[in-house]
Amino acid sequence: MFFIRQLLLFLTISFLFTNVTLASTLLVMGDSLSAAYNLRQEAGWVSLLKNQLSKDNREIKVINASVSGETSQGGLSRFGPLLSEYQPSWVILELGANDALRGYPLEQTANNIEQMIEQAHQANASVLLIGNKIPQNYGKRYTDMFFKLYEKIADKYTLAYVPFMLEGVALNKSLMQDDGLHPNKDGQPFVLQNILPHLQPLLDEHKGH
């Protein structure tokens, strides 16, 4: 009888442990574009992503570590501890726009992003890199170089890559806030639709392992 009780206890613990580990984690590292700037959190594209994953019956925990105003350097300084704490299977990396808006050297931004990618890979996490654009008033040469920076990094590390998360949104005033930089509530679903086609293959790839 004692043996049976011990066996049942072992099976129960094993079942609970298995169900706990079924839920993989997706970590979002971004700035105000991913932090639902000036909106309720549930209106932001990351929260909409959580809802979509739940509808798709994907056992994925989404951690939004995005911070408004964040630079690539700030993200890099926080990234290691977040990797250790959450041990994500996937990382969505959306940083760098604030670097460009402040005129930081592009080499510095690229180096910070690359360090985060390498740390994620060392932690066995797949990375989706999200590119961005800045207003043309910063000069065509600088804005073009900034936009191409993400493509170069994606090619270097063979990453899944979203060239511009605000495609079809940024120039539509009805989808943007008055500052012209951040999507409003109506624009957030369109942002998610720009990201999902690049994210879903990564999720499916992990599922097949």
Side-chain angles (χ1 to χ4, degrees):
M1 194 68 181
F2 175 79
F3 173 78
I4 294 175
R5 284 200 301 268
Q6 292 296 102
L7 179 59
L8 288 173
L9 179 61
F10 173 79
L11 291 173
T12 300
I13 292 173
S14 298
F15 175 80
L16 291 173
F17 180 78
T18 300
N19 278 274
V20 168
T21 56
L22 275 176
S24 299
T25 300
L26 187 159
L27 175 64
V28 182
M29 292 292 297
D31 48 36
S32 56
L33 292 173
S34 299
Y37 175 79
N38 211 27
L39 300 172
R40 296 172 66 91
Q41 283 299 311
E42 56 266 29
W45 73 262
V46 178
S47 291
L48 298 181
L49 172 61
K50 293 180 185 179
N51 296 339
Q52 184 63 54
L53 294 175
S54 179
K55 289 179 183 177
D56 294 343
N57 294 314
R58 292 187 185 266
E59 295 291 333
I60 297 174
K61 182 179 181 181
V62 179
I63 301 297
N64 192 0
S66 303
V67 175
S68 293
E70 185 73 288
T71 62
S72 62
Q73 184 61 50
L76 175 60
S77 68
R78 295 190 296 121
F79 194 50
L82 288 168
L83 284 177
S84 298
E85 180 177 357
Y86 295 110
Q87 299 180 20
S89 297
W90 309 275
V91 173
I92 295 180
L93 190 53
E94 181 272 304
L95 285 170
N98 286 311
D99 297 43
L101 293 175
R102 298 175 188 183
Y104 291 173
L106 296 181
E107 296 81 4
Q108 175 183 319
T109 300
N111 181 60
N112 291 336
I113 292 174
E114 289 184 7
Q115 285 190 61
M116 295 176 71
I117 292 167
E118 290 172 5
Q119 288 180 22
H121 285 172
Q122 289 168 7
N124 296 314
S126 299
V127 176
L128 173 61
L129 181 64
I130 296 184
N132 216 322
K133 294 180 180 180
I134 56 172
Q136 288 291 331
N137 58 298
Y138 282 78
K140 187 177 188 307
R141 181 174 179 273
Y142 185 79
T143 55
D144 287 350
M145 288 176 64
F146 173 73
F147 180 63
K148 292 176 181 177
L149 174 151
Y150 294 94
E151 182 179 5
K152 290 180 180 178
I153 294 175
D155 288 344
K156 179 177 179 179
Y157 292 94
T158 318
L159 299 178
Y161 161 60
V162 180
F164 183 37
M165 67 186 293
L166 300 185
E167 189 68 46
V169 178
L171 298 181
N172 188 334
K173 291 184 178 180
S174 68
L175 300 179
M176 296 293 289
Q177 297 184 36
D178 291 340
D179 62 9
L181 296 173
H182 300 91
N184 59 26
K185 180 180 178 180
D186 293 333
Q188 296 295 323
F190 291 94
V191 175
L192 178 59
Q193 290 307 311
N194 287 335
I195 293 170
L196 272 179
H198 303 274
L199 176 62
Q200 286 172 331
L202 285 184
L203 303 181
D204 292 337
E205 181 181 293
H206 180 82
K207 186 178 180 181
H209 286 176

